């Protein structure tokens, strides 16, 4: 078949990229080979637009065992225990087919974790939808939430945290980011690097179908009005088969049979085979007629590009095939030797004893295009809106309106669809600053959180990048965890636009600066570009998954108030920053000005001091102050605990709206006993931490003296109003 311009473009390749392929091969590729290049050179697999910026991220630390470059990141949490975790996007598939798109997103991220020898112990997600009034939002929301719950619940992994957000920017391109966390022993980590010549290459798991063909390429292109036609590129998931595959893999991993193992995720058999061979500087030969297929007359092209789920590629040590086969047959899974490793450094594909494809491995990996795209800086926006010009509103009215808004309403309607307690090691579930999972049969645990802040990143990407790292850091601190490392999912629009590429580059710079200062390295992640439809791109949306360690679970803490007459302190200075705030957007429909400034020194100092107070058992509860400001944080503490607060007005002259709704960073609310006030003040003074006593815990009502008084019961009803009526 003659490769035409139209065929090249249908494969998501530029004409100059096709020319490069011909130069590398010193000939024209056939259709099968073109499909393989399309899969490996797309944005989703090659990171061709992001790679030069990702290299700058800090990826090493004293607790890091494995950073980016593997299926997932690995950190050391002591006692020979390791935590393996990663977050990835499944945005495009979920917009086209929400249930299966979200479900297979969960399945894919779970395989990334157990491929490395870890038993998954927790799931989280970050899901973003368009305006609730948009005609597609309700069905997309229902489908995605059902897909996440359906897959996670069936496989038996608790979903213990996440976020659900709404904004017009996602009307035509929703975001579905899934995170998985697993536990393994440090000496039982498995990697994807192939080793040795003439080693058996084994296909295990489900049979290959025609679902998901060109899925990775679809995820590397903008949508248009014909996006519905791309439904065949969405994979179909089966959580029950994934459970069998997980158990079979973990059983085989108990001995030394496995040389390397790789999930068949994006680009399916193509990416798994190429990545294994590339990392090992080897070749790989596959016999296409041996691949188990569930549909008749599948072509090698379809087999190589299918993204059918619940499949793995394993390279085995010599003489381990029979034993391994017995394990997979016991779990009722396919086990077929489909090829071998070679010394050719080529991907060699055979069908009925004929070579039908021959491609040097390096042309698909190290020689894939790397673009240094033009990008432009984002100026700090002007402060156009003046507070004195805004229509005056009572604190109580503003609070109730925010609490009843889609983004700040109670999300139990969502989280109750997820099994949060299965496996019986969940210590803190959705609704807390971070979820907490016990390390099985031990008194230590890990805290996990997922956070994003698109409005800050849109206003000023550099600051937004810093902020979201600090938000993740504070959420872990607030449950008593020492932050260790992050994974990131970077959701952006079309990288061919200098403006959008600038948003990406500057966000990465902000993430870099914050991670370096806080000693909070990046160990895994994912980039999702081309999020938009008809050249209307989403806001830059970096999503951060953070993991922290709680060495002694008796020291864990949460944001629920504990005891009447306890004192409530605000840690960190309040300046009253309202630009890009929830107050501006929800009350006045204003979205201008700069995000709040980030002082990394204060963030670290304040967070370390909070951990010290927790360690000394001086705190009853902690909550970070983030979106919505002080008053929303106080309301969340009251609602969650069914206890009230009596709050004083600020002693210094500061506009009440600025004080209670300003989103200054680096702040926490802590609850302490009166008897410990001097001890707490002493430690805070010692560390030069600004603090002020702002009130006391009381029964029944949230109250600001002479300004606001509302019962906890009414707060609860208001907070549940939107979801109950949607």
């Amino acid at each position: 078949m003659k490769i035409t311009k139209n065929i090249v473009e249908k494969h998501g390749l530029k004409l100059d990229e096709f020319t490069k392929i011909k130069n590398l091969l010193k000939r024209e590729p056939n259709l099968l080979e073109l499909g393989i290049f399309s899969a490996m050179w797309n944005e989703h697999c090659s990171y061709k637009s992001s790679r030069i910026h990702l290299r700058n991220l800090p990826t090493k630390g004293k607790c890091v065992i494995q950073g980016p470059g593997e299926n997932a990141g690995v950190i050391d949490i002591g006692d020979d225990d390791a935590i393996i975790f990663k977050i990835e996007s499944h945005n495009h598939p979920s917009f086209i087919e929400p249930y299966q798109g979200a479900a297979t997103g969960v399945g894919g991220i779970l395989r990334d974790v157990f491929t490395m020898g870890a038993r998954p112990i927790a799931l989280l997600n970050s899901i973003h939808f368009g305006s609730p009034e948009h005609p597609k939002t309700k069905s997309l929301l229902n489908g995605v939430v059902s897909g996440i719950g359906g897959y996670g619940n069936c496989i038996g992994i608790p979903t213990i945290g996440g976020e659900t957000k709404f904004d017009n920017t996602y009307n035509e391109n929703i975001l579905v980011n899934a995170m998985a966390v697993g536990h393994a022993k440090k000496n039982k980590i498995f990697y994807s690097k192939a080793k040795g010549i003439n080693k058996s290459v084994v296909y295990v798991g489900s049979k290959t179908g025609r679902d998901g063909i060109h899925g990775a390429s679809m995820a590397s292109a903008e949508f248009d009005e014909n996006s519905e036609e791309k439904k065949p590129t969405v994979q179909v998931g089966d959580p029950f088969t994934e459970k069998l595959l997980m158990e079979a893999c973990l059983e085989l991993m108990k001995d030394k049979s496995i040389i390397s193992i790789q999930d068949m995720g994006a680009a399916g058999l193509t990416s798994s085979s190429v990545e294994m061979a590339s990392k090992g500087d080897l070749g790989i030969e596959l016999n296409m007629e041996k691949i188990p297929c569930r549909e008749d007359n599948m072509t090698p092209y379809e087999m190589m590009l299918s993204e059918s789920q619940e499949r793995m590629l394993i390279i085995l040590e010599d003489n381990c095939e029979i034993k391994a086969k017995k394990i997979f047959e016991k779990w009722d899974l396919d086990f077929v030797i489909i090829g071998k490793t070679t010394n050719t450094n080529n991907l060699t594909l055979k069908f009925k004893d004929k070579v039908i494809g021959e491609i040097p491995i390096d042309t698909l990996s190290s020689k894939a295009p790397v673009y240094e795209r033009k990008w432009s800086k984002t100026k700090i926006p002007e402060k156009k809106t003046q507070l004195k010009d805004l229509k005056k509103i009572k604190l109580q009215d503003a609070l109730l309106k925010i609490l009843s808004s889609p983004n700040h309403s109670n999300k139990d309607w969502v989280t109750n669809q997820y099994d949060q307690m299965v496996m019986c090691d969940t210590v803190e579930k959705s609704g807390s600053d971070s979820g907490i999972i016990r390390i099985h049969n031990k008194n230590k645990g890990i805290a996990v959180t997922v956070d994003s802040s698109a409005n800050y990143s849109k206003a000023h990407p550099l600051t937004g990048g810093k902020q979201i790292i600090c938000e993740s850091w504070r959420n872990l601190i607030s449950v008593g965890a020492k932050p260790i490392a992050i994974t990131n999912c970077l959701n952006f629009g079309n990288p061919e636009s200098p403006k959008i590429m600038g948003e990406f580059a500057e966000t990465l710079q902000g993430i870099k600066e914050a991670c370096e200062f806080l000693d909070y390295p990046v160990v895994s992640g994912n980039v999702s570009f081309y999020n938009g439809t008809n050249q209307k791109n989403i806001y830059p949306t970096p999503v951060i998954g953070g993991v922290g360690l709680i060495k002694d679970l008796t020291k864990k803490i949460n944001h629920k108030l504990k005891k009447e007459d306890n004192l409530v302190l605000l840690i960190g200075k309040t300046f009253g920053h309202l630009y890009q705030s929830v107050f501006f957007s929800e009350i006045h429909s204003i979205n201008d000005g700069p995000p709040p400034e980030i002082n990394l020194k204060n963030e670290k100092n304040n967070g370390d001091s909070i951990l010290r107070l927790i360690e000394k058992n001086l705190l009853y509860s902690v909550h970070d102050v983030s979106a919505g400001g002080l008053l929303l944080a106080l309301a969340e503490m009251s609602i969650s605990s069914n206890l009230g607060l009596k709050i004083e007005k600020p002693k210094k002259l500061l506009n009440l709206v600025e004080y209670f709704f300003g989103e200054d960073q680096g702040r926490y609310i802590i609850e302490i006993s009166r008897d410990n006030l001097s001890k707490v003040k002493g430690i805070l003074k010692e560390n030069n931490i600004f603090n002020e006593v702002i009130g006391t815990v009381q029964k029944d009502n949230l109250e600001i003296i002479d300004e606001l008084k509302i019962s906890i019961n009414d707060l609860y009803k208001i907070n549940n109003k939107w979801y109950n009526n949607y």
Side-chain angles (χ1 to χ4, degrees):
M1 174 188 285
K2 178 69 177 174
I3 305 298
T4 64
K5 176 184 175 184
N6 186 47
I7 291 173
V8 171
E9 290 176 345
K10 279 188 174 180
H11 280 76
L13 292 164
K14 309 288 187 186
L15 291 179
D16 62 335
E17 291 176 334
F18 182 59
T19 300
K20 181 174 181 176
I21 291 169
K22 290 190 290 185
N23 290 336
L24 287 169
L25 293 178
K26 297 182 173 59
R27 60 177 172 85
E28 187 169 284
N30 60 35
L31 185 63
L32 170 61
E33 292 168 332
L34 183 72
I36 289 168
F37 273 103
S38 167
M40 294 305 298
W41 281 20
N42 64 58
E43 199 71 61
H44 191 78
C45 293
S46 74
Y47 293 85
K48 58 189 177 185
S49 297
S50 58
R51 201 180 300 178
I52 61 168
H53 298 284
L54 294 171
R55 289 170 182 162
N56 297 322
L57 292 175
T59 59
K60 296 180 180 179
K62 64 180 181 181
C63 294
V64 176
I65 296 173
Q66 175 65 54
E70 267 295 340
N71 288 296
V74 187
I75 56 173
D76 186 346
I77 61 166
D79 308 312
D80 292 323
D81 292 314
I83 295 297
I84 298 174
F85 64 105
K86 190 181 183 183
I87 189 169
E88 277 203 340
S89 63
H90 232 222
N91 305 333
H92 288 62
S94 300
F95 184 67
I96 296 170
E97 213 300 295
Y99 184 94
Q100 288 296 347
T104 52
V106 173
I109 199 64
L110 283 171
R111 289 194 302 279
D112 281 341
V113 166
F114 72 75
T115 298
M116 298 194 70
R119 179 168 291 281
I121 57 175
L123 288 163
L124 300 92
N125 57 77
S126 174
I127 51 181
H128 293 67
F129 301 92
S131 164
E133 286 74 41
H134 192 274
K136 288 185 178 180
T137 296
K138 185 176 283 190
S139 64
L140 289 169
L141 174 66
N142 286 331
V144 167
V145 171
S146 297
I148 291 170
Y151 206 100
N153 296 353
C154 288
I155 200 171
I157 311 294
T159 301
I160 64 165
E163 55 180 11
T164 303
K165 294 185 175 182
F166 301 89
D167 193 277
N168 290 339
T169 190
Y170 309 108
N171 279 349
E172 305 299 332
N173 196 120
I174 65 173
L175 301 183
V176 176
N177 294 179
M179 178 177 173
V181 184
H183 169 248
K185 290 297 179 181
K186 283 196 307 185
N187 63 346
K188 295 294 287 184
I189 308 297
F190 290 81
Y191 299 96
S192 58
K193 180 180 178 180
K195 297 177 184 176
I197 307 300
N198 288 320
K199 303 295 184 182
S200 295
V201 177
V202 185
Y203 175 118
V204 300
S206 290
K207 288 180 169 58
T208 295
R210 290 189 170 96
D211 54 316
I213 294 173
H214 292 302
S217 299
M218 178 267 293
S220 304
E222 280 187 335
F223 285 139
D224 55 28
E225 62 276 358
N226 300 314
S227 61
E228 289 292 318
E229 296 175 4
K230 296 180 179 180
K231 277 192 176 182
T233 63
V234 179
Q235 311 93 326
V236 178
D238 179 356
F240 301 105
T241 300
E242 178 118 333
K243 171 68 173 173
L244 300 178
L245 180 62
M246 178 176 72
E247 297 299 341
C249 288
L250 292 175
E251 183 175 342
L252 183 60
M253 288 168 172
K254 289 178 180 178
D255 61 25
K256 297 181 180 180
S257 300
I258 296 174
I259 296 173
S260 64
I261 180 168
Q262 178 71 43
D263 158 45
M264 292 191 215
L269 184 55
T270 290
S271 64
S272 56
S273 56
V274 170
E275 287 173 14
M276 293 171 91
S278 173
K279 290 173 183 176
D281 195 25
L282 296 172
I284 194 164
E285 181 181 294
L286 302 178
N287 297 308
M288 304 308 294
E289 70 271 15
K290 293 185 178 181
I291 293 171
C293 295
R294 65 169 183 259
E295 299 183 47
D296 294 334
N297 302 314
M298 286 191 67
T299 65
Y301 179 96
E302 292 172 322
M303 295 175 198
M304 289 301 294
L305 297 184
S306 168
E307 294 184 7
S308 295
Q309 298 290 283
E310 296 87 38
R311 303 179 300 159
M312 293 282 190
L313 204 62
I314 301 175
I315 297 175
L316 290 174
E317 292 283 6
D318 294 337
N319 305 315
C320 293
E321 293 89 349
I322 294 173
K323 177 178 62 177
K325 187 175 183 179
K326 285 181 180 178
I327 291 173
F328 282 88
E329 287 182 342
K330 180 184 77 172
W331 291 99
D332 199 24
L333 296 165
D334 279 296
F335 177 100
V336 183
I337 298 171
I338 64 168
K340 63 183 180 181
T341 58
T342 70
N343 61 1
T344 65
N345 291 101
N346 290 338
L347 173 66
T348 305
L349 304 178
K350 291 184 174 181
F351 189 66
K352 297 180 180 178
D353 295 323
K354 291 183 179 179
V355 175
I356 58 172
E358 186 92 28
I359 307 173
I361 292 288
D362 61 358
T363 66
L364 298 169
S365 53
S366 61
K367 291 181 180 178
V370 177
Y371 294 131
E372 193 167 350
R373 298 193 184 277
K374 293 180 180 178
W375 60 275
S376 56
K377 286 189 175 183
T378 302
K379 294 181 180 178
I380 296 178
E382 295 179 6
K383 299 178 180 179
K384 296 178 182 177
T385 303
Q386 300 299 315
L387 189 61
K388 61 181 177 61
D389 299 327
L390 296 177
K391 184 179 178 182
K392 287 189 169 37
I393 184 169
K394 293 181 178 177
L395 291 181
Q396 181 161 317
D397 292 342
L399 174 63
L400 297 183
K401 188 172 180 179
I402 290 169
L403 281 173
S404 61
S405 67
N407 279 320
H408 302 284
S409 294
N410 189 334
K411 302 294 195 303
D412 284 353
W413 179 88
V414 172
T415 57
N416 286 346
Q417 295 187 54
Y418 310 146
D419 191 333
Q420 301 184 65
M421 301 304 295
V422 64
M423 297 174 70
C424 300
D425 281 319
T426 303
V427 177
E428 202 72 51
K429 57 184 185 178
S430 295
S432 296
D433 288 300
S434 298
I436 301 175
I437 288 285
R438 178 187 292 105
I439 302 303
H440 195 63
N441 288 331
K442 295 186 178 182
N443 191 42
K444 71 176 181 182
I446 57 163
V448 285
T449 181
V450 169
D451 302 284
S452 66
S453 186
N455 60 315
Y456 289 168
S457 293
K458 178 65 177 176
H460 192 240
L462 180 66
T463 304
K466 290 182 190 178
Q467 188 278 335
I468 200 57
I469 295 298
C470 294
E471 172 75 7
S472 173
W473 168 271
R474 289 196 300 273
N475 279 331
L476 295 173
I477 296 284
S478 296
V479 297
K482 171 66 177 174
I484 297 178
I486 71 160
T487 180
N488 59 48
C489 195
L490 306 170
N491 306 277
F492 288 77
N494 190 332
E496 296 165 48
S497 160
K499 179 178 180 297
I500 290 168
M501 198 64 217
E503 291 173 346
F504 179 81
E506 291 194 283
T507 299
L508 263 289
Q509 181 62 28
I511 291 172
K512 173 183 180 292
E513 290 179 19
C515 285
E516 285 179 341
F517 195 94
L518 298 174
D519 191 19
Y520 198 30
V522 182
V523 298
S524 60
N526 170 236
V527 177
S528 176
F529 278 135
Y530 296 98
N531 289 292
T533 299
N534 291 328
Q535 299 182 338
K536 187 178 180 181
N537 296 284
I538 66 163
Y539 287 172
T541 311
V543 176
I544 303 299
V547 176
L549 175 64
I550 304 176
K551 289 183 179 180
D552 179 359
L553 282 172
T554 63
K555 302 282 188 181
K556 76 170 183 73
I557 200 164
N558 58 30
H559 70 300
K560 296 179 181 179
L561 300 167
K562 304 299 189 301
K563 189 177 179 182
E564 290 178 53
D565 203 42
N566 273 350
L567 297 176
V568 177
L569 280 70
L570 177 61
I571 306 300
K573 275 192 178 182
T574 298
F575 300 98
H577 188 98
L578 286 174
Y579 294 96
Q580 299 297 333
S581 68
V582 170
F583 178 82
F584 263 26
S585 63
E586 296 289 356
I587 306 303
H588 298 286
S589 300
I590 294 170
N591 192 24
D592 75 3
E597 292 181 10
I598 306 297
N599 186 317
L600 293 172
K601 184 178 179 181
N602 285 349
E603 287 282 1
K604 187 164 188 348
N605 197 20
N606 292 359
D608 288 346
S609 298
I610 294 290
L611 283 182
R612 187 177 170 190
L613 293 171
I614 293 170
E615 182 64 28
K616 292 181 176 294
N617 295 314
L618 293 172
L619 305 186
Y620 280 82
S621 65
V622 182
H623 194 24
D624 78 306
V625 181
S626 54
L630 175 60
L631 187 51
L632 185 61
L634 292 167
E636 290 168 346
M637 296 177 81
S638 286
I639 293 169
S640 66
S641 60
N642 203 30
L643 280 172
L645 289 161
K646 180 180 280 189
I647 304 299
E648 301 171 3
K649 291 182 187 178
K651 296 179 176 65
K652 294 184 179 179
L653 291 177
L654 188 69
N655 182 291
L656 287 182
V657 168
E658 291 177 315
Y659 182 80
F660 284 109
F661 291 109
E663 296 184 7
D664 308 291
Q665 300 293 291
R667 296 183 297 161
Y668 301 81
I669 301 165
I670 62 173
E671 176 193 3
I672 67 171
S673 71
R674 291 181 180 272
D675 292 343
N676 287 331
L677 180 60
S678 60
K679 288 182 185 176
V680 171
K681 285 275 191 180
I683 291 170
L684 294 173
K685 184 178 180 181
E686 186 182 316
N687 292 291
N688 199 28
I689 306 293
F690 180 88
N691 67 93
E692 53 185 339
V693 177
I694 60 171
T696 57
V697 181
Q698 65 176 8
K699 201 175 179 182
D700 297 332
N701 299 306
L702 174 63
E703 179 181 0
I704 299 173
I705 297 171
D706 298 330
E707 287 293 331
L708 174 155
K709 189 173 184 178
I710 184 168
S711 72
I712 306 305
N713 189 47
D714 285 344
L715 280 177
Y716 180 83
K717 287 179 180 176
I718 289 290
N719 196 220
N720 283 272
K721 182 178 178 182
W722 183 81
Y723 269 99
N724 290 340
N725 294 334
Y726 189 55

